[in-house]
Amino acid sequence: MCGIIGCVGGQEASEILIEGLRRLEYRGYDSAGVAIIDNGIVQIQKVKGKIADLQKILNKLRLKGTIGIGHTRWATHGRPSELNAHPHHSKDITVVHNGIIENYRVLVPILKKKGYVCKSETDSEIICHLIQMYLDQGLKMEKAFPKALCQVRGSYALAVLYEKEPHRIYVAKNASPLVVGKGQGENFVASDIPAILNQTRTILILEDQEWGFLEKDNIRIFNLKGQPIRRSLKTIQWSLATTEKDGFRHFMLKEIYEQPMAVQNTLSGRLGNGHQRIDLPELEPLFPRKKNPFERIYIVACGTSYHAGMVGKYMMESMARIPVIVDLASEFRYRQPVLDSRCLMVVISQSGETADTLAVVQMARQKKAKIVSICNVMDSSIPRISEATLYTHAGPEIGVASTKAFTAQLVVLSLFSLFLGDLTKNLNRKDVISAIESLSKIPSQMKKILRPDAVYQRIARKYAHCPSLLYFARGINAPIALEGALKLKEISYIHAEGYAAGELKHGPIALIDEGVPVVVLIPQDEHYDKTYSNIEEVQTRGADLIALATQGDKLIPKIAKETIFIPKTQWFLSPLLFSIPIQLMAYYMADYKGTDVDQPRNLAKSVTVE
Ligand code: AGP
């Protein structure tokens, strides 16, 4: 996720761009840049680092000009570097982009043959060259721009400068957010409203597959066929105080609600051949001639990422029939594990900086194991020393409690398992296509679960002052019981324990007494009857049951104090859907107690010390 901004009109562009980028910094902060038309010439300044570093450079240069565009980056394709920072440039065209161009790997060689060579490692740069190519073929910009947009697949929010039209900013949107602000003798464009709210409260929202241009006294919007679109203006009533969280009370809640987009972006570009094939080109060097050279797979991580790894074990062993050993990084690195070149080491880390996990990677390298990392931060320490990295594209996760990165990790593990299942021929094409179809539905199913529901406030009011809660589930959802307990502990400070339901009778059931809240995840799968028996065991001893069940289950609401439903999906995808209610339960319990949800006591977002 990145942030873009543009302005055209009366004020000095550099001040407006920097202020706007500061308000967009939460969307990404590994590099930044601006392009300003100074005396008819596009001047580009970009930096690997924060907005503050860019501002220092601009303060020295004192670029003059009232039209410009800016970008703050969260690297998705191409490591954080000055070369990969936006704006990107072709002869007359300068672009800032937020989104993922899924077919850029196809377009790059085609354009190279025509003499348009990408210099950076990014997907975004291809857009400049596509527009430039059509201009060089004699098209006017108002034809060249939409024609180029019709060639790309994927998501984009664009602001474009064309040096031969120094009074205009061209804009376009598809699946990434973009708003236009209307001022007096000046106009603005940005990824979100807070970035321009100090300049204007009058905005116009672009819809998908729309493009247009801004001049200081004119805004024109069109569809990709070039037909003009009339769009009503809106006036923003709320204040800047709620910015960056986009009106959410906490970053954590915002990130819970960003999960459909995080899943969509993590899937983007990885479902090839019309959603018939898993495309993970990063892994191909590890599986030469499409054979599996590994005897076993280790999955090692910490905290929530470890819980993702536990889910991954169920997926990989079922789909690929390769033995998988999951372990905590802090234990694995000291227990003399049997590691050699026949092992595949998969490490999972949102930050890519966790000290214990990094130490495992260094140990595995010495033992000649091959390393695949699953990370959310491009070019962080762990990816830099891995043979391959499968990035999650969840965008910056600001809340200390991991939510959208976790479900994005589960998406990557699903894709990885399907890739292995296909490679080892344990899955047939029909299985893979059916699994891809179910995966593609997850974003919309998540949106259904995210519809406002007072059940979470009811649960918070009733149980936030209990000394402890128990979570249990079976099979692939047992790790989600552990994750639910961890979420609650780390943000509400209420004690909680997660268990595999089958373990209850081996001790934990002694904890059950009148009114003890017990959260049970009970999907309609092969474990349903046994989990139902576990529910009866705790209920006869007085437990208060909070059940997470499959849409349409008529039995569970009759016995539970509260029931939260998730849509039906394939067995290996239910953890993605169950994750949302357990996150929301923890969030509302913590918010009810008034703890610091985004920065809980004693915790840090990235544990870079042992
Ligand atoms: C998750 O909610 C916690 N903040 C914590 O357990 C986290 O998952 C763990 O520290 C691992 O971090 P990483 O994914 O960045 O390696």
Side-chain angles (χ1 to χ4, degrees):
M1 182 163 76
C2 306
I4 73 169
I5 183 154
C7 61
V8 51
Q11 305 176 63
E12 280 305 323
S14 58
E15 286 149 32
I16 295 193
L17 297 178
I18 287 293
E19 190 215 337
L21 288 176
R22 280 195 182 292
R23 295 195 185 287
L24 291 165
E25 200 160 22
Y26 75 93
R27 299 178 65 85
Y29 38 74
D30 59 44
S31 51
V34 296
I36 294 172
I37 298 184
D38 184 352
N39 237 341
I41 309 291
V42 176
Q43 304 283 350
I44 295 176
Q45 280 303 326
K46 45 190 193 176
V47 64
K48 178 186 178 195
K50 302 235 181 264
I51 311 289
D53 304 319
L54 178 64
Q55 182 160 20
K56 283 190 197 113
I57 296 172
L58 293 180
N59 288 346
K60 283 196 199 106
L61 287 174
R62 308 206 64 72
L63 290 179
K64 294 281 170 244
T66 60
I67 175 168
I69 56 178
H71 185 274
T72 185
R73 186 168 185 244
W74 180 263
T76 55
H77 294 76
R79 68 195 63 234
S81 67
E82 186 174 326
L83 179 68
N84 290 334
H86 300 212
H88 290 291
H89 179 71
S90 185
K91 198 170 51 168
D92 305 320
I93 293 294
T94 306
V95 169
V96 289
H97 167 233
N98 172 35
I100 295 176
I101 303 300
E102 291 182 14
N103 62 332
Y104 85 100
R105 286 193 183 94
V106 171
L107 293 171
V108 164
I110 294 170
L111 281 158
K112 187 172 177 185
K113 278 203 199 95
K114 297 170 187 270
Y116 299 91
V117 182
C118 284
K119 298 175 283 300
S120 74
E121 303 162 328
T122 68
D123 55 324
S124 308
E125 185 185 347
I126 197 67
I127 300 167
C128 313
H129 300 302
L130 263 176
I131 300 169
Q132 189 65 53
M133 180 180 74
Y134 289 121
L135 289 170
D136 293 348
Q137 288 173 5
L139 291 182
K140 292 277 180 232
M141 184 62 175
E142 291 182 31
K143 295 288 185 208
F145 189 38
K147 193 171 172 72
L149 296 173
C150 291
Q151 308 307 314
V152 299
R153 270 193 312 104
S155 54
Y156 54 76
L158 292 169
V160 180
L161 296 178
Y162 175 35
E163 201 159 78
K164 292 179 179 156
E165 294 180 15
H167 58 293
R168 274 184 180 179
I169 296 176
Y170 283 83
V171 297
K173 181 217 187 291
N174 188 48
S176 290
L178 197 66
V179 291
V180 167
K182 185 179 180 331
Q184 301 299 323
E186 55 187 1
N187 288 311
F188 310 90
V189 61
S191 295
D192 64 20
I193 293 166
I196 52 175
L197 201 52
N198 260 351
Q199 313 305 333
T200 177
R201 287 185 170 278
T202 307
I203 63 145
L204 173 157
I205 305 279
L206 261 73
E207 302 297 347
D208 285 353
Q209 309 243 314
E210 290 180 352
W211 68 279
F213 58 78
L214 317 178
E215 297 166 343
K216 67 185 180 67
D217 288 313
N218 187 21
I219 297 172
R220 301 291 308 280
I221 308 290
F222 306 88
N223 63 21
L224 287 181
K225 294 195 186 81
Q227 295 153 341
I229 289 173
R230 295 188 58 72
R231 181 66 39 77
S232 57
L233 295 172
K234 291 192 169 100
T235 304
I236 298 301
Q237 306 298 342
W238 43 265
S239 71
L240 275 175
T242 57
T243 67
E244 295 169 358
K245 297 179 193 138
D246 284 352
F248 287 94
R249 273 172 64 77
H250 297 99
F251 276 113
M252 181 180 175
L253 189 59
K254 175 172 174 280
E255 288 154 9
I256 289 172
Y257 276 80
E258 282 178 340
Q259 290 183 100
M261 181 56 87
V263 167
Q264 191 61 53
N265 285 345
T266 301
L267 285 173
S268 179
R270 291 166 159 162
L271 303 178
N273 190 24
H275 285 204
Q276 307 255 322
R277 189 187 60 223
I278 303 291
D279 281 350
L280 296 175
E282 303 93 330
L283 294 182
E284 279 156 21
L286 292 170
F287 297 89
R289 299 178 306 286
K290 291 193 180 305
K291 293 275 181 271
N292 171 39
F294 302 109
E295 280 184 1
R296 59 188 176 286
I297 296 173
Y298 286 100
I299 303 180
V300 180
C302 299
T304 287
S305 299
Y306 167 69
H307 295 150
M310 292 173 80
V311 173
K313 174 186 170 76
Y314 286 90
M315 296 176 182
M316 285 185 183
E317 288 193 334
S318 166
M319 294 180 194
R321 309 307 298 151
I322 303 172
V324 176
I325 301 110
V326 184
D327 208 338
L328 289 164
S330 54
E331 287 299 310
F332 185 82
R333 59 186 293 206
Y334 298 116
R335 68 172 174 81
Q336 310 301 324
V338 178
L339 267 180
D340 57 33
S341 59
R342 291 163 300 174
C343 303
L344 178 65
M345 168 61 72
V346 177
V347 291
I348 306 173
S349 176
Q350 187 286 130
S351 62
E353 300 296 347
T354 298
D356 284 319
T357 312
L358 185 59
V360 164
V361 177
Q362 287 155 346
M363 177 175 88
R365 279 166 66 95
Q366 283 161 9
K367 305 270 187 178
K368 308 289 177 236
K370 295 294 183 202
I371 297 147
V372 173
S373 50
I374 298 174
C375 286
N376 194 45
V377 181
M378 177 71 70
D379 208 34
S380 50
S381 300
I382 290 173
R384 284 206 302 271
I385 56 171
S386 304
E387 263 83 16
T389 297
L390 296 172
Y391 282 104
T392 50
H393 295 310
E397 191 173 64
I398 312 296
V400 163
S402 186
T403 50
K404 62 177 182 174
F406 175 65
T407 43
Q409 289 166 353
L410 297 183
V411 169
V412 168
L413 286 161
S414 306
L415 293 168
F416 197 169
S417 305
L418 289 164
F419 171 90
L420 292 173
D422 183 38
L423 183 98
T424 55
K425 306 266 181 286
N426 282 290
L427 292 181
N428 60 41
R429 246 170 89 72
K430 198 165 79 40
D431 298 330
V432 174
I433 292 169
S434 157
I436 289 174
E437 195 185 336
S438 300
L439 251 177
S440 309
K441 288 178 188 159
I442 291 294
S444 58
Q445 290 179 318
M446 285 182 155
K447 285 176 187 163
K448 281 198 188 113
I449 302 169
L450 285 165
R451 285 181 193 145
D453 189 332
V455 62
Y456 300 105
Q457 284 84 350
R458 284 201 304 275
I459 291 170
R461 274 198 304 276
K462 192 164 182 191
Y463 300 109
H465 297 302
C466 287
S468 181
L469 278 84
L470 275 182
Y471 291 70
F472 66 78
R474 283 179 180 262
I476 195 168
N477 286 298
I480 305 302
L482 274 63
E483 175 58 12
L486 174 62
K487 285 275 115 18
L488 186 67
K489 280 183 274 199
E490 66 173 326
I491 63 172
S492 74
Y493 316 150
I494 298 169
H495 178 256
E497 284 308 319
Y499 282 100
E503 269 303 286
L504 269 171
K505 55 187 169 304
H506 299 288
I509 199 163
L511 293 169
I512 305 300
D513 200 350
E514 195 58 38
V516 168
V518 175
V519 181
V520 184
L521 287 65
I522 178 167
Q524 282 176 333
D525 64 8
E526 60 181 320
H527 305 294
Y528 186 89
D529 293 343
K530 287 201 170 55
T531 308
Y532 192 85
S533 305
N534 295 134
I535 287 174
E536 290 178 316
E537 287 161 16
V538 296
Q539 279 212 314
T540 50
R541 291 167 175 81
D544 268 18
L545 179 67
I546 298 166
L548 308 185
T550 306
Q551 201 83 47
D553 188 322
K554 301 271 187 284
L555 207 49
I556 296 302
K558 291 181 182 149
I559 59 173
K561 295 275 193 228
E562 294 288 358
T563 302
I564 299 167
F565 290 108
I566 66 158
K568 196 148 186 56
T569 185
Q570 290 202 36
W571 70 279
F572 70 98
L573 293 172
S574 57
L576 277 112
L577 299 180
F578 275 126
S579 295
I580 292 192
I582 59 139
Q583 293 164 355
L584 287 169
M585 273 178 58
Y587 172 79
Y588 283 103
M589 297 268 257
D591 190 37
Y592 182 81
K593 283 191 69 183
T595 54
D596 185 346
V597 170
D598 283 334
Q599 295 178 329
R601 69 186 181 198
N602 311 337
L603 295 179
K605 184 60 189 169
S606 175
V607 183
T608 54
V609 293
E610 297 179 24

